[in-house]
Amino acid sequence: MQQEITIVKRMSNIKHKIAVMSGKGGVGKTTIAVNLATAFALKNYKTGLMDVDLHGPDIPHMLGVENAILEQSTNGILPLKVRDNLEVMSIEFMLPSKGSPIIWRGPKKTGAIRQFLSDVDWGKLDVLVVDNPPGTGDEPLTVLQSINQLDGVVMVTTPQAVAGEDVRKCVNMVKGLNIPIIGVIENMSGFTCPHCKQEINIFGKGEGKKLAEELDIHYLGSLPLDTTVRKDSDQGKPFLLHDSKSDISKKFMEIFSKIENRIKK
Ligand SMILES: Nc1ncnc2c1ncn2[C@@H]1O[C@H](COP(=O)(O)OP(=O)(O)OP(=O)(O)O)[C@@H](O)[C@H]1O
Ligand SMILES: [Mg+2]
């Protein structure tokens, strides 16, 4: 009960809360969460990024802060300041060593996420972005049920029909809990050959739009496959900071504006 009250208090200090989710693994949730938080920070929103992927916490690597050591305040654990306006929290910071796995069953995972929500001292934030593991299991369910007044979920899919099938389940879970879906992004949508400049639809095209129409949710846009995205992630840098004028950055900022407008409404 006390924990519940603390979570509500902490979350009430945060104006907007967005969860990034997908029914499918490896579709780019973390990449999108990192760049979404970066975009908010660049636009002067005081932003937090919380990684609740307990089994595969990739945020610290993608932000180049894997070896960070956290500090405490009198009010809880302080998130790590990554750059101006951007703070981050991940279970990875608490593991004894790189490569240590989390081998927990459901109740322990739920408890850990709730502890995250109650013990981390974010202070006052404009936006909190929460990166989730794939699927409809303990972690996303705990996030959806524990964060009061979640603005909504940014759903990520890739263009394959198999991704669409899994994402449909995730959308229905969110809808079943009466939480808004901000919209769906189709990632890894087409690849422009650097040699012949022709577009090759490696994973197909159009599943995001199709899902949006079928499930009556907003379509936020698509992002192509781009080798710089993968390289930047591996090197611990959001692609938005690599080159804000690149095609992928421009496309991302169009999606960002739609998300920004939707949460402001
Ligand atoms: N548009 C893109 N172009 C090229 N590579 C991409 C793109 N989006 C993501 N990637 C790469 O694909 C891989 C998977 O991305 P990411 O880790 O963000 O997916 P995820 O959905 O968070 O995965 P998980 O389900 O394991 O949490 C990463 O190596 C990332 O750099
Ligand atoms: Mg991930």
Side-chain angles (χ1 to χ4, degrees):
M1 191 63 192
Q2 184 52 46
Q3 189 185 47
E4 213 159 304
I5 296 169
T6 313
I7 294 176
V8 170
K9 262 195 202 154
R10 296 255 196 227
M11 293 298 117
S12 303
N13 277 331
I14 303 174
K15 277 189 212 147
H16 298 289
K17 287 147 279 194
I18 300 170
V20 179
M21 291 186 179
S22 176
K24 187 85 179 152
V27 295
K29 293 175 292 299
T30 306
T31 310
I32 285 170
V34 160
N35 283 281
L36 186 58
T38 301
F40 275 116
L42 288 171
K43 294 258 175 181
N44 280 328
Y45 289 86
K46 200 167 177 324
T47 308
L49 176 58
M50 186 164 81
D51 181 4
V52 300
D53 192 340
L54 305 176
H55 298 291
D58 292 331
I59 295 254
H61 184 128
M62 289 199 192
L63 283 173
V65 291
E66 292 145 289
N67 300 317
I69 293 166
L70 296 175
E71 287 174 22
Q72 294 258 355
S73 73
T74 47
N75 209 10
I77 306 166
L78 287 170
L80 182 83
K81 182 168 176 175
V82 180
R83 59 182 63 88
D84 280 355
N85 295 322
L86 182 59
E87 292 178 331
V88 65
M89 185 65 195
S90 170
I91 192 92
E92 175 86 4
F93 298 143
M94 295 167 187
L95 298 178
S97 69
K98 211 171 143 75
S100 303
I102 291 273
I103 311 170
W104 290 344
R105 292 188 194 277
K108 206 152 176 212
K109 292 198 273 183
T110 303
I113 293 172
R114 291 184 61 79
Q115 205 168 342
F116 245 43
L117 292 169
S118 67
D119 293 3
V120 179
D121 180 14
W122 295 102
K124 283 196 186 300
L125 287 181
D126 295 314
V127 185
L128 178 69
V129 177
V130 184
D131 179 38
N132 285 268
T136 53
D138 296 298
E139 300 90 329
L141 191 59
T142 308
V143 165
L144 294 173
Q145 291 184 323
S146 307
I147 299 186
N148 43 303
Q149 291 171 334
L150 198 65
D151 288 63
V153 174
V154 169
M155 200 59 75
V156 185
T157 190
T158 46
Q160 310 95 310
V162 285
E165 278 165 28
D166 294 346
V167 173
R168 186 176 292 112
K169 291 186 173 73
C170 198
V171 168
N172 286 331
M173 169 176 80
V174 178
K175 280 186 171 177
L177 292 165
N178 286 322
I179 289 167
I181 294 178
I182 295 171
V184 60
I185 301 174
E186 180 174 299
N187 188 27
M188 307 187 183
S189 177
F191 172 73
T192 303
C193 170
H195 307 293
C196 69
K197 309 288 173 212
Q198 254 202 323
E199 193 186 29
I200 306 159
N201 292 324
I202 295 173
F203 296 131
K205 200 148 203 171
E207 192 65 24
K209 223 176 209 165
K210 196 176 124 200
L211 273 179
E213 280 164 14
E214 185 195 315
L215 299 169
D216 195 23
I217 57 178
H218 198 77
Y219 179 62
L220 294 167
S222 68
L223 295 169
L225 270 166
D226 185 324
T227 49
T228 63
V229 174
R230 198 275 308 151
K231 277 187 204 154
D232 288 340
S233 296
D234 277 351
Q235 287 168 9
K237 195 172 185 180
F239 63 78
L240 273 184
L241 295 183
H242 176 137
D243 179 2
S244 63
K245 301 224 159 34
S246 67
D247 186 41
I248 186 103
S249 292
K250 281 190 203 150
K251 284 208 162 103
F252 189 84
M253 287 314 289
E254 280 170 26
I255 291 174
F256 169 79
S257 297
K258 289 185 193 164
I259 296 173
E260 187 188 27
N261 286 335
R262 285 182 71 80
I263 63 165
K264 273 190 188 161
K265 268 186 190 160

